[in-house]
Amino acid sequence: MINILRQFFKFGIVGLINTILTYLIYSMLYEDTSPTFAMAIGYGITSIIGLTINQKWVFKANHDWMIVVKCYLTYLLTWTLSILVTEVTSNYFHVLASIIPLITLLVTTPTNFLLSKYWVFRKTELKEASANE
């Protein structure tokens, strides 16, 4: 249980850094492009950063191409959710563009953590647990 909480805390730190970076990118682009395009670019760039830090620091996983594939499938899903939430909130609910990224976090953060914890890095954790017993 302590390991899960530690991972969640570290995952949260990585997420905070990525959120700040995504928001900065979004803020620089949304007025000249659109909220949807700005979010897509920001999320795409920070996904690379998140993969690297989560793999090495949060879940301490060895480099494995299957992890990379699973991670990007997870990012693709959460990126799609982010774009969908942005599209709906900006075009149907007319939410202020400056707070849309905060709303997307309510959907994407728990989805991303759960998929990362129990699907992307699952095999790695099982190996580590067996080695420590």
Side-chain angles (χ1 to χ4, degrees):
M1 181 60 139
I2 292 173
N3 189 39
I4 292 171
L5 294 175
R6 184 179 303 122
Q7 286 176 332
F8 185 75
F9 179 74
K10 288 179 174 182
F11 190 85
I13 291 171
V14 174
L16 179 62
I17 292 166
N18 276 352
T19 298
I20 291 167
L21 291 174
T22 300
Y23 189 76
L24 290 172
I25 294 166
Y26 174 86
S27 295
M28 291 187 300
L29 296 176
Y30 83 88
E31 288 181 358
D32 294 328
T33 59
S34 73
T36 303
F37 181 78
M39 183 61 71
I41 296 300
Y43 198 85
I45 290 170
T46 59
S47 73
I48 296 167
I49 297 166
L51 168 61
T52 304
I53 297 172
N54 282 321
Q55 183 175 351
K56 292 181 181 197
W57 184 53
V58 177
F59 298 104
K60 295 180 179 19
N62 294 324
H63 182 72
D64 179 351
W65 287 108
M66 199 54 172
I67 287 175
V68 174
V69 169
K70 287 179 178 180
C71 189
Y72 273 98
L73 287 173
T74 298
Y75 280 140
L76 179 61
L77 174 66
T78 55
W79 177 77
T80 302
L81 286 172
S82 177
I83 300 308
L84 180 63
V85 169
T86 301
E87 182 72 18
V88 169
T89 55
S90 66
N91 292 324
Y92 296 99
F93 293 104
H94 308 289
V95 173
L96 292 172
S98 60
I99 65 167
I100 290 172
L102 301 175
I103 295 169
T104 65
L105 287 175
L106 296 174
V107 176
T108 60
T109 300
T111 302
N112 196 350
F113 178 75
L114 291 172
L115 287 171
S116 293
K117 172 81 177 147
Y118 295 107
W119 184 56
V120 176
F121 298 103
R122 179 171 171 76
K123 184 176 180 184
T124 301
E125 288 179 18
L126 292 176
K127 284 182 187 175
E128 288 177 5
S130 296
N132 291 332
E133 292 177 3

